[in-house]
Each structure stands twice: as structure tokens, then as C-alpha cells.
Amino acid sequence: MFQTRVLSDIRRQKIKELLNRIGCDPKGVEIMAPKAEHFLVYARGLDPRGANILKQEFLSSDGEVAVSWGALDISTKDTEVLMMGTMDQFKRVEGKLEEQPFDLPRLAEEINRTLRSYREKRELPWGGEPCQVMGILNVTPDSFYDGGRYSREEDAVKRALEMEKNGADMIDIGGESTRPGSERVSVEEELERVLPVIEEVAPEVDVPISIDTHKPRVAEEAVKAGADIINDVFGLRKEGMPEKVAALDVPVIIMHMQGRPKDMQEDPEYDDVVTDICSFFYERIELAKKAGVKKDNIIIDPGIGFGKNLEHNLEILARLDEFSSLGCPVLLGASRKSFLGEILDKRSENRLYGSLAAASLAVEKRVSILRVHDVAETVDAVETISSICAQR
Ligand code: 7PJ
């Protein structure tokens, strides 16, 4: 028996260990390790002439590029492409593209940056562990799971301290529910809800506090009161928000939402849910940078349940690692959300185990922050999965 088997998706270091164990020459290990890592890289908006050169370059390195028919006979203005190859082939092609026309040198740079972002460990702006837990503290009367529970200030402070004790790496304070069908509240109302809580909590806890708001005035007052991070579920769409975030110079979470909370769950539609959300992030990151926000301060979040049906949410979760190609830490908020209710046929009180399953998958798929209601349980899940993933 040769005892053949297909190997798991192991990372660079493990591949090198395996080659050493087989007894390869040390030079051979360096040459062969990049041939053992395979990638599919998608790009859009290529000039069809450039796409044809790209295909030739990959083919001459024994890789492959899928292009549209319209790109082959130059009948379209631009094309999507799917590049397929080993790390070694990507490196070789990148070198050759530097000499080519049709914006191919810039494509080479983007491929290089994308592969680097995807493969490298990501740092959070405030440092610490690679995967961190954000505890949710809603000071709203109407949030779907904890609405009304922590609206009194002393209850909110108690809850924040409890989450910190349970291992929360940050606390997210929100004064406006964004559940489907919810209505917006005024700036004054939101400030009245969150400011006293931030002022009470900030001096008591050692972990950063984020303010869940899309309004520039609330963001500013909250930071003055002691908040360290802005969590914007509207993705910097409120007028003046990008400039405000830049001026405050704090980390910001840009979340994707299709539509508005009032009507976002009425038949949401995408061409390809992950591609469409990534396009949104590319556009928002550019806009934020133009307004003066530092790239290192941007965290992205695909926004589970915000203008997405069950199938959309599941596909986002299955392909979560793709978002780390953008070079920003990724946050996931799946805790007790209604997609779990749809899968399990359970109310929000009984969705803890489903939430932990989603959180565990997210750790494996390179997510940097998990926004959750159940801190102690999630911290255990994160530590377990992180220890396992460190083995590959
Ligand atoms: C999210 C959020 C989320 C971010 C809410 C709930 C609904 N902020 N705020 N990501 N969800 N960044 O608490 O489940 O998924 S409100």
C-alpha cells in the first residue's frame, strides 16, 4: 500500500515542516513550498486586451485565467477574471505584468497586496489577540434580544463590568435599535441614552468602548465622554460622518447594510452577495481615506441580517475569509440573530449554541472581532478554535 491521501489546507509553516520531514534539500524546501499553496483570485474591471495578456502570462507559467467570451474577441468594454495558480505562479506572473500595458502593472500590485492581506496575520488598531470579543451593551428600550434590560445606568455599568470580567476585549454601547422595521431616534434622544452610560462605564473598565452610532454628533460626544471606537452600521453614509471620524482619529467599523432598517428585509437582492459587499467596502474605504480616515483605523463588517435573506447570510458565513483580502480587520455580528432562528426554529433566548457554532467558524475564517451577547461562552470558543488553528 502507498497509503495515498489528500492533505488538509495547511499553511506555509506546516508545508515547510512536511517537506523537511520528507527529507527535501533545504534549497528545495524554499523552491517547493510556494508551489504547495494554491489560490483562486478574482478581479473585475479589466480591459479585455489586458485580460488576454494576463491569460497568456498565466498559461506560460502553467497557471490559468478564466475570462469572458467578450474579452476573447474584444467585444466588451471590461471583463471579470478568475486567476488560478500556486503562490509560485502568482509571483512569476506579477513580475512579468510590471512590463505590460493596459494597467497591468497596477493589477500586479493589487494581486500582491490582496494575497499578502489574505495570508498574513492581521493586527487590530489597539493591538492584542488576533481574535477579540466585543460584548454588546444595548441601552435601548427595543433591541431584539436585550432591549430594555440595561437601560438604567447602574444596570448598564454592572453589565459592562461583568462582560469585562468574563473576558470581553471591548464593549459596544448602542442607543438606537437597528432591528428590522425599527424607526430612527433623534440625536438628542440617542445622546440622552448613551452619554450617561459611557461616562459611568469608561472610568470603570480597562477595555476600549465602542459607540454604535451613525450620527456624527453622537460619535463626537461619545468620544468626548470616553468612547474609543465608532461602530457605524450605516457605513459612513450619514452626511459629515467620514469627516467626523477622520477628525476624531479613532478606529471605525464600517458595516454593510442594503437598504434601511425600516425596509431592509423586504426582498433583498444581490448579483453575488460577497462580490457586491466587497465592492461596497472598496468604495467606502476609498471614500473614508479621501476624507482623511487612516486605512489602519478601518474595520469592515459584512452586516449579518442587514438587508440579507437566509441564503445570503449563509453564503457570507461560508466565504467569510474572502473579506480579509481587503487588508482590514473583519468584524462579525451573528450573535442570536434571526438567521439562527430560521435554521434552528428557535427564539432568540435559545440561540446560544447556534451563535457559538457561527463564532467558531468565524475564528477559523480569519475574523478579528466577534460582536456577541454571551461573552464568557464565546471567549471559550475563540480560545479553543484559535489553539486548533495555530496547528496548521
Ligand atoms: C451589528 C451591529 C453587527 C455591527 C447590530 C444585534 C443587531 N454592529 N449592531 N455589526 N448588529 N458592527 O445586536 O444583533 O452585526 S444591532
Side-chain angles (χ1 to χ4, degrees), residues 136 138 144 172 178 212 231 233 253 255 301 303-304 306 331-335 337 371 373:
I136 302 171
N138 280 322
F144 80 101
D172 186 44
T178 41
D212 189 341
N231 175 18
V233 300
I253 297 151
M255 196 195 79
D301 175 354
I304 293 292
F306 285 88
L331 181 147
L332 185 80
S335 180
K337 280 191 176 167
R371 182 180 178 279
H373 300 91

Side-chain angles (χ1 to χ4, degrees), residues 145 336 344 346-354:
Y145 175 60
R336 296 186 183 261
L344 305 170
K346 287 189 167 147
R347 293 143 52 94
S348 63
E349 304 85 272
N350 300 319
R351 295 178 193 160
L352 170 62
Y353 304 127

Side-chain angles (χ1 to χ4, degrees), residues 30-301:
E30 294 308 314
I31 294 168
M32 283 183 281
K35 298 185 182 184
E37 271 188 289
H38 297 73
F39 296 97
L40 296 177
V41 179
Y42 166 90
R44 71 199 306 182
L46 271 81
D47 184 307
R49 297 166 296 179
N52 281 312
I53 296 177
L54 182 71
K55 188 173 174 81
Q56 288 171 24
E57 296 293 13
F58 264 94
L59 286 173
S60 79
S61 302
D62 285 328
E64 182 59 282
V65 180
V67 303
S68 62
W69 254 114
L72 291 179
D73 65 6
I74 322 277
S75 63
T76 54
K77 205 165 86 339
D78 55 37
T79 183
E80 296 170 279
V81 295
L82 182 64
M83 295 164 258
M84 315 166 203
T86 63
M87 198 60 223
D88 181 58
Q89 287 162 337
F90 274 95
K91 282 268 157 286
R92 267 155 52 200
V93 170
E94 266 168 48
K96 294 189 201 161
L97 293 184
E98 275 155 25
E99 309 293 320
Q100 297 288 2
F102 309 123
D103 227 5
L104 289 175
R106 201 168 54 87
L107 176 70
E109 260 173 51
E110 276 199 39
I111 295 171
N112 183 287
R113 186 182 39 70
T114 299
L115 282 169
R116 219 168 346 107
S117 300
Y118 182 85
R119 294 160 82 226
E120 273 173 15
K121 244 184 36 209
R122 184 149 336 289
E123 290 277 328
L124 282 162
W126 49 87
E129 293 296 309
C131 185
Q132 303 188 7
V133 174
M134 168 188 269
I136 302 171
L137 184 56
N138 280 322
V139 288
T140 51
D142 58 342
S143 285
F144 80 101
Y145 175 60
D146 54 359
R149 279 204 227 175
Y150 310 115
S151 7
R152 284 190 17 246
E153 281 136 47
E154 54 272 41
D155 291 350
V157 174
K158 224 171 95 196
R159 175 74 182 142
L161 285 169
E162 179 184 53
M163 290 197 285
E164 184 185 38
K165 196 175 106 244
N166 287 341
D169 299 289
M170 69 209 84
I171 311 280
D172 186 44
I173 298 178
E176 180 184 59
S177 169
T178 41
R179 64 184 297 174
S182 61
E183 298 283 349
R184 305 303 87 226
V185 301
S186 70
V187 171
E188 284 67 32
E189 171 77 34
E190 199 179 331
L191 284 171
E192 255 171 60
R193 290 181 189 175
V194 297
L195 284 188
V197 174
I198 297 173
E199 280 163 6
E200 292 272 332
V201 171
E204 299 291 327
V205 299
D206 287 328
V207 296
I209 291 173
S210 77
I211 170 71
D212 189 341
T213 190
H214 65 280
K215 301 184 185 110
R217 168 104 195 281
V218 177
E220 176 164 23
E221 296 295 328
V223 169
K224 272 195 215 154
D228 310 277
I229 304 162
I230 294 161
N231 175 18
D232 185 355
V233 300
F234 279 81
L236 303 181
R237 270 179 289 197
K238 187 88 175 169
E239 201 188 325
M241 193 60 164
E243 295 74 20
K244 183 58 72 189
V245 168
L248 293 170
D249 194 22
V250 291
V252 62
I253 297 151
I254 298 181
M255 196 195 79
H256 174 271
M257 168 172 11
Q258 186 179 85
R260 308 265 141 186
K262 203 169 157 52
D263 54 13
M264 65 189 177
Q265 289 310 97
E266 291 168 16
D267 208 15
E269 267 187 53
Y270 296 87
D271 283 334
D272 174 274
V273 66
V274 175
T275 307
D276 292 2
I277 294 174
C278 284
S279 283
F280 168 84
F281 287 139
Y282 274 113
E283 185 249 318
R284 296 324 279 179
I285 292 168
E286 274 317 298
L287 176 135
K289 286 202 307 200
K290 278 209 186 94
V293 178
K294 296 188 189 101
K295 170 95 193 263
D296 285 348
N297 267 340
I298 299 175
I299 294 152
I300 55 176
D301 175 354

